[in-house]
Amino acid sequence: MAAEEQPLLGRDRGSGQVHSGAAADQELCIDQAVVFIEDAIKYRSIYHRMDAGSLWLYRWYYSNVCQRVLGFIIFLILILAFVEVPSSFTKTADVRYRSQPWQPPCGLTETIEAFCLLAFLVDLSVKGYLVGQAQLQQNLWLLAYFMVLVVSVVDWIVSLSLACEEPLRMRRLLRPFFLLQNSSMMKKTLKCIRWSLPEMASVGLLLAIHLCLFTIIGMLLFTIGEKDEAQDQERLAYFRNLPEALTSLLVLLTTSNNPDVMIPAYTQNRAFALFFIVFTLIGSLFLMNLLTAIIYNQFRGYLMKSLQTSLFRRRLGARAAYEVLASRAGPAGTTPELVGVNPETFLPVLQKTQLNKTHKQAIMQKVQSYEGRPMLADEFQKLFDEVDKGLAKERPLKPQYQSPFLQTAQFIFSHHYFDYLGNLVALGNLLSICVFLVLDSDLLPGERDDFVLGILDYIFILYYLLELLFKVFALGLPGYLSYHSNVFDGLLTIILLEARAVWPTVALGHDTTDEHTDCVSLPAHHPQHKANG
């Protein structure tokens, strides 16, 4: 407890454990710097335990494998809603043909849920141990995490004790919290909504007053007399009573029932249209736009603040790593600002850091540029600017041809204009299919003549095959496969060739059965992708 109350870098990094020898102390220093750098890269807080055992547990918890397992467990507990009683997971939604859904026996889904809750309990325990008791008491998300787990476990016990016959399961309402607390983006969104509520509440109050005022005016305006009850359809249809009038104007605020809501009154007297026009101008064109502007402004301001917080965490983590490494490099009594960090000391730390290979090489080249002199604090901070730079994917080298003719052909088929030509041909394929579908829309499948359409399909498939071969010739097979669009186009072209090999008579119109005529539209998928690409 006393160690947690001290400043982070000033406490004993071994948390009271005495290390024998300088080697263990040096290894602990490297591990601390590695964790600080990983915290800076992932924009995580550095306020957690820093002893050797906790550092191992911390890196294991935030490893890719552990986080993916946790994500799968969250997915598993959310997907239970599709199979739990009462289940609606059937083949069709039509009640006339829907079979009886499978009802899992009592205890099956509860066993899976118990496994998930146990995993969440372990997750909460690890988080609580790593941040320490002082930080745990101040972290509202972890406290809410604990309360949700307690309620879920109690409700799970009640469910088993009643043999799964309870009328309500409270824990089902709490399951989205597990996804929420594990996503930093969702937490930020909720925090932004909470900050935006005061500003939104003022405009919401104006909207409520606007609705109530015009509802009362409408009730007074569209009255029913003793003789005109049959004629005044406006009151009978939309302003029968106060709740229906309020609902009609609320829908009109979104313009969903415009102009239907005013047609009866407009038919009786054109002047009644002014009531609905004024209501729409004030509500939809002023108050709703004002609400949208407030929400946009609040989210934009929170985005800037979130970026500033992330940048601060990046700098804080990098500075903590610098302090740890510099304190080991200089003699006692010297400040880290005057000592700096030697590149030879930082390179082992960089090798152990979980970082993208390209970013790691870029940082390593920048470190080697200092030529052995110590890096000061500002220079150490600038090393991690490489992480924010985008990754440029290196494409395989193109084949080298000696013939001028082949070089010219390679230039033509690797140019982006050749892709534009492919998109244009694909668009023509799509239009031809649409034209024939429109012309044959009034004919039965057995009466259609697909001879011309089959010939066109063969022509287009031949072009797609030639396009594939030309691109492989120009880019080489590794270069062709390095583009995802080329891989998709190539697979689709092969599928079309296999379809034509299986059903060769379809394109020529010799087989007009329903199951075969559906194959004529297969090339439409290829041009659709190309036209959108």
Side-chain angles (χ1 to χ4, degrees):
M1 291 297 297
E4 294 180 2
E5 296 176 356
Q6 298 176 2
L8 180 64
L9 296 177
R11 71 179 68 162
D12 182 13
R13 297 188 180 90
S15 292
Q17 299 179 3
V18 179
H19 295 274
S20 57
D25 195 26
Q26 184 68 20
E27 184 67 22
L28 178 61
C29 171
I30 293 177
D31 291 340
Q32 290 176 346
V34 168
V35 170
F36 282 139
I37 292 175
E38 291 178 351
D39 289 342
I41 293 172
K42 300 296 183 180
Y43 304 110
R44 297 194 295 253
S45 174
I46 65 172
Y47 294 100
H48 50 78
R49 296 179 183 270
M50 297 302 297
D51 58 278
S54 299
L55 289 177
W56 177 86
L57 181 62
Y58 185 83
R59 297 196 70 196
W60 172 82
Y61 176 78
Y62 283 105
S63 63
N64 293 331
V65 175
C66 185
Q67 291 300 308
R68 288 175 181 174
V69 170
L70 180 60
F72 174 76
I73 293 174
I74 295 174
F75 168 78
L76 188 61
I77 197 172
L78 293 178
I79 206 68
L80 287 179
F82 290 95
V83 295
E84 287 179 325
V85 179
S87 174
S88 61
F89 194 67
T90 56
K91 183 178 180 180
T92 176
D94 195 332
V95 294
R96 298 172 299 173
Y97 310 107
R98 185 172 59 187
S99 59
Q100 199 66 19
W102 175 70
Q103 303 293 343
C106 180
L108 178 61
T109 58
E110 284 74 16
T111 302
I112 300 175
E113 189 175 9
F115 166 75
C116 296
L117 293 177
L118 181 61
F120 292 141
L121 182 60
V122 174
D123 176 56
L124 176 61
S125 302
V126 173
K127 284 183 177 179
Y129 171 77
L130 291 176
V131 300
Q133 185 176 358
Q135 292 290 329
L136 179 61
Q137 295 175 353
Q138 300 175 2
N139 195 320
L140 297 179
W141 282 104
L142 292 182
L143 295 178
Y145 196 5
F146 174 75
M147 294 302 299
V148 169
L149 280 177
V150 170
V151 174
S152 299
V153 170
V154 172
D155 191 64
W156 180 82
I157 295 174
V158 172
S159 179
L160 287 184
S161 63
L162 297 178
C164 307
E165 297 295 335
E166 74 281 9
L168 177 64
R169 298 185 181 183
M170 291 296 299
R171 62 185 185 276
R172 290 183 177 179
L173 302 176
L174 302 177
R175 286 176 184 173
F177 179 83
F178 299 122
L179 175 63
L180 187 66
Q181 65 85 28
N182 196 56
S183 174
S184 59
M185 186 60 66
M186 290 187 178
K187 291 179 182 179
K188 292 179 180 179
T189 303
L190 278 183
K191 189 178 294 184
C192 180
I193 293 175
R194 186 189 66 185
W195 287 356
S196 304
L197 283 179
E199 298 288 341
M200 294 168 58
S202 59
V203 182
L205 181 60
L206 289 177
L207 279 171
I209 296 175
H210 173 68
L211 281 173
C212 293
L213 179 62
F214 275 83
T215 300
I216 296 173
I217 296 175
M219 293 291 293
L220 297 175
L221 186 62
F222 306 112
T223 57
I224 299 178
E226 296 180 356
K227 298 182 179 181
D228 59 350
E229 183 175 353
Q231 290 82 9
D232 198 349
Q233 298 296 325
E234 182 69 34
R235 178 63 179 259
L236 296 176
Y238 298 102
F239 290 86
R240 182 184 302 272
N241 50 48
L242 190 63
E244 290 187 9
L246 185 62
T247 303
S248 299
L249 291 182
L250 181 61
V251 176
L252 180 60
L253 198 63
T254 63
T255 67
S256 296
N257 58 354
N258 181 52
D260 297 341
V261 68
M262 74 172 183
I263 291 300
Y266 180 78
T267 304
Q268 184 180 358
N269 191 337
R270 292 188 176 185
F272 286 145
L274 295 176
F275 169 81
F276 299 97
I277 293 174
V278 173
F279 175 82
T280 305
L281 287 176
I282 298 177
S284 300
L285 301 182
F286 177 69
L287 293 180
M288 293 298 289
N289 286 338
L290 181 61
L291 181 62
T292 304
I294 289 175
I295 295 175
Y296 169 77
N297 186 60
Q298 290 293 324
F299 270 79
R300 181 173 177 271
Y302 180 76
L303 176 62
M304 296 299 297
K305 187 173 182 179
S306 177
L307 292 176
Q308 292 175 357
T309 303
S310 300
L311 181 60
F312 175 76
R313 286 189 173 184
R314 167 72 60 84
R315 292 183 177 274
L316 186 62
R319 183 57 186 242
Y322 174 83
E323 294 283 342
V324 170
L325 295 176
S327 62
R328 300 295 181 181
T334 58
T335 59
E337 288 79 1
L338 299 177
V339 176
V341 176
N342 292 322
E344 294 79 8
T345 306
F346 177 69
L347 288 178
V349 176
L350 185 61
Q351 292 294 340
K352 296 184 64 175
T353 304
Q354 294 181 359
L355 187 61
N356 184 277
K357 183 178 179 181
T358 305
H359 288 153
K360 185 178 292 187
Q361 291 178 353
I363 295 176
M364 191 176 299
Q365 293 177 359
K366 203 168 183 179
V367 170
Q368 293 173 353
S369 65
Y370 290 100
E371 299 179 354
R373 70 174 182 85
M375 295 179 292
L376 300 181
D378 293 340
E379 297 172 338
F380 191 83
Q381 289 277 1
K382 293 179 180 179
L383 290 176
F384 302 99
D385 293 343
E386 300 291 334
V387 180
D388 296 326
K389 296 180 180 179
L391 295 176
K393 185 177 180 180
E394 296 183 0
R395 304 290 181 181
L397 296 177
K398 298 179 181 179
Q400 300 294 328
Y401 299 106
Q402 301 298 328
S403 172
F405 174 77
L406 295 180
Q407 292 177 357
T408 304
Q410 183 184 29
F411 173 77
I412 294 175
F413 297 134
S414 62
H415 201 275
H416 60 273
Y417 284 161
F418 187 67
D419 294 332
Y420 295 159
L421 177 61
N423 293 338
L424 186 62
V425 172
L427 180 61
N429 189 2
L430 180 63
L431 291 178
S432 65
I433 293 176
C434 293
V435 169
F436 277 94
L437 288 178
V438 172
L439 294 177
D440 297 340
S441 59
D442 297 333
L443 301 177
L444 295 176
E447 300 175 354
R448 296 175 183 175
D449 186 7
D450 295 329
F451 178 78
V452 178
L453 183 59
I455 295 297
L456 289 177
D457 285 344
Y458 273 115
I459 294 175
F460 284 118
I461 292 176
L462 178 61
Y463 174 82
Y464 298 147
L465 179 61
L466 293 177
E467 181 187 27
L468 186 152
L469 297 177
F470 288 152
K471 285 188 175 181
V472 171
F473 160 77
L475 302 175
L477 184 60
Y480 180 85
L481 297 177
S482 63
Y483 294 90
H484 297 293
S485 59
N486 289 343
V487 174
F488 181 81
D489 290 345
L491 290 176
L492 201 54
T493 301
I494 294 174
I495 293 174
L496 293 176
L497 288 174
E498 292 293 333
R500 286 299 175 222
V502 174
W503 297 302
T505 60
V506 176
L508 298 178
H510 296 298
D511 193 343
T512 56
T513 57
D514 293 344
E515 59 180 357
H516 285 178
T517 51
D518 292 340
C519 301
V520 178
S521 61
L522 277 175
H525 297 284
H526 185 72
Q528 180 67 30
H529 166 71
K530 285 176 167 291
N532 294 337

